Amino acid sequence: MAGPIRPTISDVARAAGVSRTTVSHALNGIGKVDPRTRERVVQAAAELGYRPSLRAQRLRSGQSRTIGLVSSMPVAVAGGPSKLGFFMEVAAAAAETALLHGFALVLVPPLDSDPPLDSLDIDGAIVIEPDQDDPTTKRLQSRGVPIVSIGPQRGTDLPHVDLRAPQVGRLLLDHLREQGADRIALLMGSGHRSWYVDLAEVYAEFSREHGMPPLVVEADESGGEETGQAACEELLAQHPEVDAICASVDAFAIGAVRAAESLGLDIPTDLRVATRYDGVRARTSTPTLTAVDLHLAQAAASAVELLLANLKGTEVPQVVTNPPPRLVPRASTLTG
Amino acid sequence: MAGPIRPTISDVARAAGVSRTTVSHALNGIGKVDPRTRERVVQAAAELGYRPSLRAQRLRSGQSRTIGLVSSMPVAVAGGPSKLGFFMEVAAAAAETALLHGFALVLVPPLDSDPPLDSLDIDGAIVIEPDQDDPTTKRLQSRGVPIVSIGPQRGTDLPHVDLRAPQVGRLLLDHLREQGADRIALLMGSGHRSWYVDLAEVYAEFSREHGMPPLVVEADESGGEETGQAACEELLAQHPEVDAICASVDAFAIGAVRAAESLGLDIPTDLRVATRYDGVRARTSTPTLTAVDLHLAQAAASAVELLLANLKGTEVPQVVTNPPPRLVPRASTLTG
């Protein structure tokens, strides 16, 4: 399956009767080249179908014109049944925006093993919701790769697109209360992703405001649905008064639904379940899950543009705020 | 946001007291280098944190270690509400397989304009279900980029992963008949994608076998749901005896559901609707749509492996047959 033999710069030089340097200068508009010579070189190149090597051009320019999109979530949360979730929704929009700017987008999806980042020739990367000590972000930074994140990285001043986490948390908690819940528990992932920390803060504030005893359960996100279910079953056994679960990730919300089923609780009458990401899982689970439209496509486009502006060295604001999130109420909370 | 200053080969040469050529030879294991000199160079490189330029290495090897995934579908079918559909499902699995082989996957999603393919530095590409005269495939081939397709390209011997189109068509038609349909119409996209041609052939055969008068309607796929709905309304007005629609793409199936609604027909009692791709649309529409599990993740992994084998020049079979498709019956056809 070898392609057609590609003419080289030497072929053009031979055909035009000049040196390779002259060909290079003539075609790239550098140095002084006699206009008639330039004309002869251009014509020889066209006749031979010569195209300068992209890679050589890029070596000269120092740019690969490729950016990476990196998932920072474990496979159990971002892969498997969530494979078409958050990461791929961002990827679709980011790839489109990047291409329209003449950049290619390379995907680094959730992997069971460490992604082979050192073999990626990228000018910059977008990291999705990195944890405070995200090792992938660190590795890229140690290689000098400029990074932009979707959702801020705590404890850093990484340029980012702000998904308005506190507002998202408010939307979910206020909605659960409107649907009659007065003992809402928080089902959280471990780690210090900024979304988790912001949600915990909003929840603490909300609990104080409404005189509701706070109940926060942490589960290991790498366990996905199963750890979510186990944590939820334990919580409900110890606190049968809980009438709503606000789950930080959709895998945990599915776990909460399973826990309710195994305990014979009706959703939403006995237990309301809501989660953040309005993805395939929220839309296709039984019952369908109340979630929030984060305007991810727009966040992805903004992240690409922010990264490209940083690569160009343009003076830009280092935080782009996404449009206000919108609640999408569904069967899992609508008590009627 | 400039990264740390990167040490160059000259810095290493200076630190080790040797020429740049010697550094290059020592680190790349080429030429004859005195072992003590090599040791000194390696140590100087490590102390400075020098890493040879990936791009320069790739220029030498002639490989970018990047492959492209190219959508050949118009935005109306593969973008918009189908954005997380076929293309992204393939992308998620292909990116994973490529990375595990040390290759990056670049996405070329459906765009309203021509994708800027000439700026992509790729070793090869996977094209999804290309039409007979797909311009993208032609452009890549004219640049000498090796291609593998998912689904064969008609009239060519392009290496490909076979999705077993005739068997998929049979599953859908047999199922509609089992659910009581005896006047099944085919709602087809225009163009000569291999899936369409195979489906039309199976449908013709099926019609003959069952003495059913064939009814095939073609709609322009670039119109998406709307042209699907319009074509379906016209069909049902002219042929009120039609009791099932087999739609070639999910956007058209959604159009068929809308047509039934606007004509006051009940699905599935009056009209059964089935389509091929068991994606987000089929799973989330109202009613949910009967479709077929094509094992796309496996097809994607096979396509990557087939492409990489071709890049290596390994002797490999040029067609990989995917596992047998599986019908996923849902509300849109289940009359029982």
Side-chain angles (χ1 to χ4, degrees), chain B residues 122-335:
Chain B
I122 50 180
D123 293 336
I126 296 168
V127 181
I128 299 176
E129 303 204 299
D131 202 342
Q132 197 165 345
D133 304 307
D134 180 50
T136 306
T137 308
K138 279 192 184 156
R139 267 172 73 194
L140 290 169
Q141 281 170 327
S142 77
R143 274 179 53 203
V145 175
I147 294 179
V148 153
S149 64
I150 293 182
Q153 183 181 36
R154 278 183 62 81
T156 74
D157 55 0
L158 210 59
H160 65 272
V161 178
D162 184 354
L163 295 178
R164 303 189 183 220
Q167 204 174 334
V168 173
R170 266 286 162 185
L171 277 177
L172 289 168
L173 296 169
D174 285 343
H175 170 74
L176 288 169
R177 199 177 149 80
E178 275 161 26
Q179 295 301 315
D182 52 21
R183 294 302 298 273
I184 306 170
L186 199 58
L187 180 52
M188 288 282 285
S190 41
H192 295 87
R193 295 183 198 282
S194 157
W195 156 240
Y196 295 169
V197 177
D198 287 343
L199 177 60
E201 276 173 16
V202 168
Y203 176 78
E205 208 177 83
F206 178 93
S207 302
R208 272 195 307 275
E209 274 171 35
H210 297 288
M212 185 182 82
L215 254 178
V216 181
V217 193
E218 251 188 36
D220 177 8
E221 62 187 17
S222 67
E225 292 173 26
E226 279 165 35
T227 52
Q229 177 175 353
C232 217
E233 282 173 3
E234 207 183 308
L235 168 80
L236 292 168
Q238 282 176 24
H239 298 279
E241 73 278 15
V242 166
D243 55 9
I245 305 263
C246 180
S248 62
V249 292
D250 57 359
F252 286 171
I254 303 286
V257 168
R258 301 243 168 96
E261 274 166 13
S262 84
L263 296 169
L265 298 174
D266 181 72
I267 295 180
T269 318
D270 303 325
L271 189 73
R272 296 144 195 86
V273 177
T275 190
R276 178 177 66 152
Y277 172 50
D278 180 31
V280 177
R281 266 184 165 175
R283 280 175 260 161
T284 60
S285 80
T286 309
T288 54
L289 300 177
T290 292
V292 178
D293 179 0
L294 301 168
H295 310 292
L296 277 190
Q298 180 152 354
S302 299
V304 170
E305 277 158 8
L306 183 57
L307 180 60
L308 297 185
N310 275 291
L311 293 180
K312 271 194 212 152
T314 320
E315 275 291 328
V316 278
Q318 292 304 294
V319 179
V320 177
T321 304
N322 220 37
R326 187 179 59 85
L327 189 86
V328 185
R330 293 216 181 81
S332 67
T333 59
L334 293 175
T335 48

Side-chain angles (χ1 to χ4, degrees), chain A residues 74-88:
Chain A
V75 172
V77 172
S82 289
K83 203 163 244 171
L84 294 178
F86 211 95
F87 180 72
M88 294 311 282

Side-chain angles (χ1 to χ4, degrees), chain A residues 116 119-120, chain B residues 58 64-66 96-104 308:
Chain A
S119 68
L120 289 182
Chain B
R58 281 166 189 183
S64 68
R65 294 192 78 80
T66 300
E96 196 173 323
T97 307
L99 269 182
L100 295 175
H101 285 90
F103 276 72
L308 297 185

